[in-house]
Amino acid sequence: MTRTKSQKALIRFTLNGEPSEVAFAPHKTLLEVLREDLGLTGTKHGCELGECGTCTVLIDGQPILSCLFLGLDAEDREVTTIEGMAEGGKLHPLQDTFADLGAAQCGYCTPGFLLVAKELLEKNPSPSRNEIQEALAGNLCRCTGYIKIYEAVELAAARMRGEEVEPPRESIYGFEV
Amino acid sequence: MMRLPKFTYRVPKIVSDAVSMIGDAGADAMFVAGGTDLYPNMKRRQQTPKTVVSVTRLRELHEIRGDASTGMSIGSSVSLTEICEHSVINRDYPFVADAARLISTPILRNMGTIGGNLLLDTRCNYYDQNYEWRKGINFCMKKDGDICWVAPSSPKCWAVQSSDLVPLMVAIGAKVKLVSASGERMLEARDLYNNDGIQYLNKRPDELLTEIHLPPRNGLRAVYKKLRRRGSFDFPVLGVAAAIDVAPDGTVREAKLILGGVSPAPIEVSEAQQALIGSPLDVERISEAAEACYLKARPLDNTDYVMGWRKQMARPFVQRALEELRRQL
């Protein structure tokens, strides 16, 4: 890494598949660098202390909390943020199912959930409900009660396995009385 | 928003550079591995090192060697996720992987390391708060103040040992290797901890924890049980580690019972150990040991849950731990 008297550090890294470089105050966290120096505000700023999971990004494919990760440590690494999840204007299947099933309500936790779920499905294309719960145990959601999030991950997993599935009617409309 | 204070960041590639950097930087320097303990503390100005030396790029600190017959050596920068997933650890020391899986969250386990977990700062409701909050109570003796708010007449700090691996490592007789510019030493895990919330480690700031040694397995069986409010995120407010070695005739030859989360250091309950040694692991012995742990657990009102209930929970948690070991026999 290069450090100059102007108190900015310059790093090179891969951001959402593209070679990038950015200069920033060296004590900044990756969260601050992404939001303030790169203008990528999809990564959300939550508790700042590692207690909520909304600032999750992928480093070399693995979920980490960008609020507790120095920007300097991103040097030479591959960083994936929520902005890099859609490809060529086409939403990732998880983004589709989160929208279809109402798994995003206020939406503040959604970028973190999507990135963690993306890594889960890459490692395990057919996770059980328990495995999904465990994988998402580091992300808090205060709106959904999590059920819709689990259902959205299950539906996306099925679609990614190539199965022709529609969401259960009651997942969208609730139970008829 | 809470930002990190300014500091100089160094990223050495070899251990000898790391220990000389920390030696050169003097008293205001700290090592960092995953950062999941230090950076929140820095944001809240509980810890304010001027120099931070990262140990994440020290290749030898990422090595895992050995097996049940030789014992294992685990580098201190191995992440908790790697501990959870490592095939030899899961086969030969499953209780270590099981305890690691109970630590905080999957994302934090990707970042946090085994070394960082063993050196985790002690925790307290009056300490783990942001600067303005702590200023509002005129601080406490662990940082910037001179009183212990949980025990105001106490001359010492009662911040709590809150690592899940510490009680287990003490129970199974693990050792740690500490390296500094002036040499290296091996220490029994139990001797690494000191029952004081401020001076909670018998480790100098210039010493780097490089390796954790698990003893050869032989007849060792161990288990760890954790009390917390949520099934994720939370630190233990009671941790019970039990380790036993049982003779072929069913007699308990050796027993260790260690309580975490109730004091500034892990607490060894020798009365409970004596109750188990020399007898088969039966219902009577188990309840005798559980009672001894209940008597020895003296949590204070400085974590989640009320302290009386945390003390009461020592009994069933020790019972569950020992019953699980009995089922394995």
Side-chain angles (χ1 to χ4, degrees), chain B residues 88-316:
Chain B
V88 180
I89 296 176
N90 274 284
R91 185 192 67 201
D92 292 357
Y93 299 86
F95 37 84
V96 173
D98 289 344
R101 272 189 279 274
L102 296 175
I103 297 168
S104 76
T105 75
I107 310 173
L108 284 159
R109 292 197 294 271
N110 287 342
M111 309 174 73
T113 63
I114 182 170
N117 192 257
L118 293 184
L119 303 179
L120 183 75
D121 193 12
T122 52
R123 300 184 60 83
C124 176
N125 285 350
Y126 295 93
Y127 169 68
D128 290 297
Q129 303 288 349
N130 66 36
Y131 182 83
E132 297 301 327
W133 193 103
R134 291 187 294 115
K135 190 179 169 194
I137 59 164
N138 203 18
F139 303 106
C140 76
M141 67 165 71
K142 188 159 160 70
K143 178 66 179 165
D144 300 326
D146 44 31
I147 191 170
C148 172
W149 287 107
V150 68
S153 62
S154 166
K156 80 169 199 183
C157 164
W158 286 94
V160 178
Q161 184 286 121
S162 304
S163 154
D164 291 300
L165 289 177
V166 166
L168 184 69
M169 290 298 162
V170 173
I172 66 175
K175 292 188 175 74
V176 296
K177 185 172 169 183
L178 302 175
V179 177
S180 71
S182 56
E184 58 180 62
R185 59 180 178 134
M186 291 292 294
L187 205 59
E188 294 282 342
R190 56 176 288 181
D191 295 329
L192 181 58
Y193 303 100
N194 189 25
N195 204 18
D196 180 292
I198 298 170
Q199 300 297 331
Y200 66 99
L201 291 174
N202 293 316
K203 175 185 103 57
R204 298 192 314 270
D206 68 315
E207 286 181 305
L208 173 62
L209 168 60
T210 56
E211 286 172 24
I212 295 92
H213 288 236
L214 309 182
R217 181 73 195 271
N218 296 325
L220 174 74
R221 292 166 201 277
V223 67
Y224 174 74
K225 296 285 173 193
K226 171 176 187 172
L227 173 67
R228 57 176 163 180
R229 188 177 293 265
R230 301 173 290 183
S232 185
F233 285 100
D234 295 336
F235 288 94
V237 294
L238 168 69
V240 172
I244 54 167
D245 181 13
V246 177
D249 69 352
T251 310
V252 176
R253 280 194 289 225
E254 277 181 60
K256 289 281 179 203
L257 267 164
I258 312 292
L259 303 180
V262 291
S263 202
I267 300 296
E268 180 170 348
V269 188
S270 48
E271 297 84 349
Q273 293 167 182
Q274 289 314 315
L276 298 176
I277 294 171
S279 308
L281 192 61
D282 57 23
V283 177
E284 289 76 31
R285 301 289 159 224
I286 289 177
S287 33
E288 207 178 311
E291 189 63 22
C293 290
Y294 165 74
L295 293 173
K296 197 74 175 277
R298 293 194 192 88
L300 293 177
D301 202 6
N302 59 347
T303 69
D304 193 10
Y305 287 134
V306 292
M307 58 180 178
W309 189 70
R310 279 164 61 213
K311 179 177 171 68
Q312 283 178 30
M313 290 307 280
R315 220 185 261 126

Side-chain angles (χ1 to χ4, degrees), chain A residues 36 48 63 67 73 134 137, chain B residues 1 3 9 43 109-110 232:
Chain A
E36 297 167 1
E48 319 178 320
C67 76
D73 283 334
E134 175 53 32
Chain B
M1 86 185 261
R3 291 186 192 268
Y9 189 55
K43 287 184 178 187
R109 292 197 294 271
N110 287 342
S232 185

